[in-house]
Amino acid sequence: MSRTSVRARSPLPEAEVSPCIPPWADPNQGAVLRASADPIQTLHEEPAEAEVVSHRLMLRAGLVRKLAGGVYSYLPMAIRSLRKIENIIREEMNRAGGQEVLLPALQPSDLWEKTGRWQAYGPELFRLADRHERPFALGPTHEEVITDLVSQLVRSYRQLPFLPYQIQTKFRDERRPRFGILRGREFIMKDAYSFSASEDDARQIYVRMQETYARIFLRLGLEHRMVEADSGLIGGNLSHEFMVMADSGEDTVISCEKCSWASNIEKAPDARVCPHCGASVSSRTAIEVGHVFYLGHKYSAKMETTFLDASGNEIPFFMGCYGIGVSRIMAAAIEQAHDGQGIVWPVPIAPYRTAILPLGPGMAEKPEVLALLASIESLWPDEVYFDDREVRPGIKFQDADLRGFPFQVILGERHVEKGNGEIKIRRTGERVVAPLTEVPSLLSRLAQAPLPEA
RNA sequence: CGGGGCGUGGCGCAGCCUGGUAGCGCACCUGCUUUGGGAGCAGGGAGUCGAAGGUUCAAAUCCUUUCGCCCCGACCA
């Protein structure tokens, strides 16, 4: 095809092509999702397959659909929430000195043979063969791949420390996938690996990652605890888990009522009193969403990956690894924050911050409603779900509650004709009536209200 | 992997025991009415009954095999 014909068919005017951001591509100009143009509907009835509340609500609210046991498609609303979770994690990992990479999910078996995990991982490891019958695995975790990679990249202690991380789909052929997204066979995870020249440095990074994780969960708007934990298959002798508190959690956290000590009950099954200060302990159920491990030489020694230290000696890397279950966080957030009407998203990870619900025929086209839509849109670009469907008010209320938008701007005849609008706060049910012109600034203030607890 | 349960329009279910024209609610489409908490009436579309084999004049239904899904126990982000 000739150059001219391409230009002739281009929908964009030639004059606009420039290295700068043209006005029609202003990234700050967000998009409104109009409900009338959204094919994805909510479900009124409980899906029979779903037992736990997050799974039921995710199906009902149109967040996910199941393809096979433990394998789910993420629909647009879920992706919006996942991207927000990922971006908070990215910002905090970068702040902590991490560098994002993307490693292959498809991994040749020989790396796994080197660490002995081709056998040790057992049936949990998804295995397949290529056309030449060469064995591969679908990565359940990436210690082998990253250690191999870093050994090629780093030869000197001067290049350390190094803290690569990635956000990627992991594959684990669970004995028993269940609870929807909470325990899938395919799930999204952030995994980070630290490479240090000394044990001291490695432990410093371990502590920095503990702090980073605490910041992440605080920013996500989730009530959580850091607890002492077992290391399991990943290995090492020092590890902590990050737990999101939820009544339906599979894990039990015991924590001291006086000091800051807390542990997974698996790690301290017989603790009746705090081992640090002797005070009494209490227990709560929770969902594990993050895990940090100090690995030391576990992988670097087995894989014989070394660097040259300041005295010219070849020594193995001192390693740590740090995981966060991204997709699990989304489900755990719903487990933690929901009510009889549906999801109650924390503001930082809600698919849309606010819904706008014009009520009654023609209300969605009224100039004052469109003006308000535009001003909220400029306040919160790409954060507005505009329910312009021609359906009865009750359906809009039910859907907005089910989908859990933190705010609902309700525009009914009774208020709009007086120049007012109503804001409903999803979490508390509280309603505020204000002049239409003041609704955006009111929303802005409400969204900055302190987090419930952390 | 051991134990229990279930596969019937997109979703929730009935029908199966005692074989005989596949049905109900929701959702969907058309029309009219309705519009602050899942509206009403009328009409309509949509299912090889998980799959394969067998018994029978005839199978969603009985028999055999198989696949899938959910729940309870040992693990994990």
Side-chain angles (χ1 to χ4, degrees), chain A residues 272-293:
Chain A
R272 298 259 148 81
V273 296
C274 174
H276 285 196
C277 70
S280 57
V281 298
S282 59
S283 68
R284 287 182 67 187
T285 56
I287 300 165
E288 182 194 349
V289 290
H291 204 152
V292 296
F293 302 85

Side-chain angles (χ1 to χ4, degrees), chain A residues 254-262 270-282:
Chain A
I254 52 176
S255 53
C256 177
E257 293 177 347
K258 291 257 164 58
C259 74
S260 63
W261 179 82
D270 302 318
R272 298 259 148 81
V273 296
C274 174
H276 285 196
C277 70
S280 57
V281 298
S282 59

Side-chain angles (χ1 to χ4, degrees), chain A residues 145-407:
Chain A
V145 173
I146 192 70
T147 305
D148 177 68
L149 178 66
V150 170
S151 74
Q152 297 172 39
L153 299 174
V154 177
R155 300 306 315 149
S156 159
Y157 73 97
R158 294 173 193 275
Q159 293 168 281
L160 297 174
F162 183 34
L163 180 60
Y165 73 93
Q166 63 173 342
I167 294 173
Q168 185 206 42
T169 299
K170 297 285 193 265
F171 301 88
R172 295 184 189 176
D173 197 355
E174 292 278 343
R175 300 148 195 74
R176 186 172 156 217
R178 61 185 142 164
F179 305 146
I181 297 302
L182 279 171
R183 183 191 296 277
R185 293 193 292 173
E186 180 183 314
F187 58 94
I188 302 169
M189 178 172 163
K190 188 282 304 182
D191 48 323
Y193 305 88
S194 66
F195 295 83
S196 299
S198 69
E199 175 164 354
D200 188 53
D201 182 75
R203 288 182 184 273
Q204 279 181 35
I205 293 179
Y206 185 86
V207 171
R208 197 195 308 159
M209 291 311 300
Q210 289 180 323
E211 293 163 358
T212 297
Y213 275 31
R215 287 183 64 100
I216 288 169
F217 292 111
L218 195 64
R219 284 188 60 186
L220 291 171
L222 299 173
E223 188 194 353
H224 65 280
R225 283 302 298 253
M226 182 179 83
V227 304
E228 294 176 357
D230 275 324
S231 303
L233 247 190
I234 308 277
N237 48 19
L238 172 63
S239 90
H240 287 84
E241 289 168 336
F242 286 78
M243 316 292 276
V244 165
M245 312 319 287
D247 293 339
S248 55
E250 279 191 280
D251 288 288
T252 301
V253 168
I254 52 176
S255 53
C256 177
E257 293 177 347
K258 291 257 164 58
C259 74
S260 63
W261 179 82
S263 174
N264 190 321
I265 200 161
E266 291 171 357
K267 176 84 171 176
D270 302 318
R272 298 259 148 81
V273 296
C274 174
H276 285 196
C277 70
S280 57
V281 298
S282 59
S283 68
R284 287 182 67 187
T285 56
I287 300 165
E288 182 194 349
V289 290
H291 204 152
V292 296
F293 302 85
Y294 176 71
L295 297 174
H297 285 158
K298 174 168 172 158
Y299 291 91
S300 50
K302 274 188 184 152
M303 297 179 70
E304 298 174 326
T305 56
T306 59
F307 65 97
L308 290 177
D309 71 9
S311 341
N313 299 316
E314 281 209 10
I315 59 172
F317 296 102
F318 293 86
M319 291 176 58
C321 74
Y322 316 91
I324 292 182
V326 175
S327 43
R328 181 180 279 185
I329 283 174
M330 180 167 59
I334 296 170
E335 290 289 338
Q336 184 175 97
H338 66 271
D339 61 20
Q341 303 308 304
I343 300 169
V344 183
W345 287 111
V347 173
I349 61 175
Y352 290 89
R353 279 196 197 174
T354 188
I356 298 180
L357 312 181
L359 306 182
M363 184 61 77
E365 278 75 46
K366 288 205 166 155
E368 56 267 51
V369 169
L370 291 171
L372 178 62
L373 172 64
S375 63
I376 295 176
E377 172 62 21
S378 65
L379 170 72
W380 287 340
D382 201 21
E383 290 289 343
V384 180
Y385 180 85
F386 187 54
D387 196 345
D388 62 341
R389 292 176 298 173
E390 299 210 4
V391 296
R392 298 169 66 85
I395 292 178
K396 298 190 183 188
F397 295 142
Q398 299 278 356
D399 278 350
D401 285 349
L402 174 60
R403 289 182 148 142
F405 307 115
F407 304 104

